[in-house]
Amino acid sequence: MNKLYRYLLVAGLAVISFASQAMEFSAQKVADGVYAYVGPITDRTPENLGLNNNIGFIDTADGWVLVDSGAGDAAAKKLEAIAKGIKNQPIVAVINIGSQDHRWLGNDYFSKQGAKIYAFKKSVKTQAKMFNQQLDRLLPKVPALKGVQMKTADVVLEEASNSLTIGGVEMQLNYYGDAHFPGDSVLWLPQQKVLFTGDIVYLDRMLGVHPWSNPVTWNEAYQQMRQLPSEYIVPGHGKVSDWKQADAETGDYLKKLVEKMTAQAEDFAGVNSAVSENSDWPEFKHLEHYDSWHKQNLNRTYLKLEASM
Ligand SMILES: [Zn+2]
């Protein structure tokens, strides 16, 4: 083997192993019968198939219950493979706890495999309203999404707190107020003390206030949800953790964001001064994407509060 050939072979192998490493999809055990896929805290890419968020897997006597369905068919197939790799049984239900793309665009795939889809009514409304907009934004980032069909819940939950038992496992789907998206809800497993918070909690990375987010009710929702005696927090993004980290990286941030921007808006300080006076919050600087999101969060929260004065 000549030197150049050997070099190319080694380089090629390195690329293959890097690529397969980057595309590894797996789940970790959270508690007995409960698992989570923890997505990367980067943006959506063709390789991660839009799965840059967390997804839950609950083992029940009837089969798997998934917490959210991933961004489209390709992502859904990866999630299905993860579930069947843990235990080969059908996926009988998907519970959507939000309406951002990677929480529900896999519904159609799972529905066609026989799963029943559950969601809170306001999430369903947001999903239907934002479907086209989400596809337009996402297709350039995740080409695998092409052709995805809209599928919203078969079982639309009407109450702010809904108790469900699927395959002997007790669950509660709770809505505490609009947060990252209108209708964001959480799934609470009282026996296992596991809380899937969806996008109400971001860990390891800075949360994002979008034009359709409501930071005021998001903060209130966090405080209400905080009453649950949860031992395991599966956040919307970031590693599985506990209340201590959730408070430090989401709860405290939302509280400060709303308090500071309310004070600025009451003084009609103007958005430029509100942002520049608050651009440096050292206790949150370790969070990934702080530099790209923090000022944007201040800006949007201030403008929303000023408009409501
Ligand atoms: Zn998200």
Side-chain angles (χ1 to χ4, degrees):
M1 205 182 325
N2 73 40
K3 251 186 179 167
L4 177 66
Y5 180 74
R6 193 179 304 159
Y7 169 78
L8 287 174
L9 187 69
V10 170
L13 286 174
V15 167
I16 290 165
S17 78
F18 176 76
S20 61
Q21 230 172 33
M23 287 172 58
E24 198 190 302
F25 296 87
S26 62
Q28 66 180 80
K29 187 174 172 178
V30 178
D32 278 348
V34 184
Y35 302 80
Y37 162 81
V38 175
I41 54 174
T42 59
D43 197 2
R44 297 156 183 81
T45 63
E47 293 75 28
N48 68 35
L49 303 173
L51 275 173
N52 65 336
N53 62 319
N54 299 345
I55 302 284
F57 301 83
I58 305 166
D59 183 9
T60 81
D62 290 349
W64 286 110
V65 174
L66 261 55
V67 185
D68 293 326
S69 60
D73 294 13
K77 282 179 193 165
K78 294 283 181 195
L79 297 173
E80 182 183 43
I82 292 174
K84 300 216 162 165
I86 302 170
K87 190 172 178 182
N88 194 5
Q89 60 181 357
I91 290 155
V92 292
V94 170
I95 302 177
N96 295 151
I97 56 174
S99 36
Q100 193 171 23
D101 46 86
H102 44 215
R103 306 220 163 270
W104 74 284
L105 293 180
N107 285 359
D108 182 58
Y109 177 80
F110 287 113
S111 173
K112 285 177 176 150
Q113 316 303 309
K116 198 181 263 188
I117 316 292
Y118 294 72
F120 176 60
K121 62 179 174 188
K122 202 166 181 184
S123 277
V124 174
K125 205 174 147 193
T126 307
Q127 290 169 351
K129 197 171 139 191
M130 295 185 82
F131 177 72
N132 289 322
Q133 176 189 341
Q134 290 185 348
L135 276 194
D136 289 348
R137 281 168 63 107
L138 264 173
L139 272 172
K141 290 181 183 175
V142 186
L145 260 169
K146 200 167 187 286
V148 68
Q149 302 288 310
M150 179 164 98
K151 168 67 189 164
T152 57
D154 304 299
V155 181
V156 178
L157 299 159
E158 303 278 335
E159 306 301 323
S161 181
N162 306 274
S163 294
L164 308 165
T165 302
I166 305 177
V169 179
E170 222 180 287
M171 313 174 189
Q172 249 178 47
L173 184 84
N174 295 341
Y175 165 74
Y176 295 110
D178 296 345
H180 187 236
F181 275 63
D184 278 349
S185 49
V186 307
L187 192 77
W188 166 233
L189 305 181
Q191 285 152 353
Q192 296 84 349
K193 296 207 170 355
V194 175
L195 178 64
F196 292 95
T197 69
D199 287 332
I200 296 176
V201 176
Y202 280 60
L203 300 180
D204 311 320
R205 59 156 294 180
M206 175 51 68
L207 60 83
V209 175
H210 289 286
W212 48 83
S213 306
N214 188 330
V216 174
T217 50
W218 187 347
N219 177 44
E220 289 162 3
Y222 181 91
Q223 299 307 329
Q224 274 194 55
M225 175 188 73
R226 183 67 179 81
Q227 309 302 313
L228 293 171
S230 173
E231 282 174 19
Y232 309 96
I233 303 289
V234 183
H237 298 264
K239 287 191 286 293
V240 176
S241 190
D242 54 18
W243 278 127
K244 192 169 171 249
Q245 192 186 350
D247 287 345
E249 297 183 354
T250 292
D252 293 352
Y253 183 81
L254 287 169
K255 192 161 173 272
K256 186 167 179 176
L257 180 67
V258 173
E259 275 174 13
K260 294 280 185 189
M261 292 304 98
T262 300
Q264 296 276 339
E266 277 169 357
D267 291 348
F268 292 100
V271 66
N272 292 337
S273 126
V275 172
S276 67
E277 274 182 36
N278 288 281
S279 61
D280 184 24
W281 288 1
E283 67 272 41
F284 303 110
K285 266 193 166 155
H286 64 288
L287 297 173
E288 188 78 20
H289 310 307
Y290 173 92
D291 290 334
S292 51
W293 273 103
H294 176 54
K295 284 187 190 171
Q296 176 90 280
N297 292 344
L298 293 169
N299 186 307
R300 287 184 174 146
T301 304
Y302 176 86
L303 291 175
K304 204 173 230 336
L305 284 162
E306 193 189 57
S308 71
M309 291 287 157

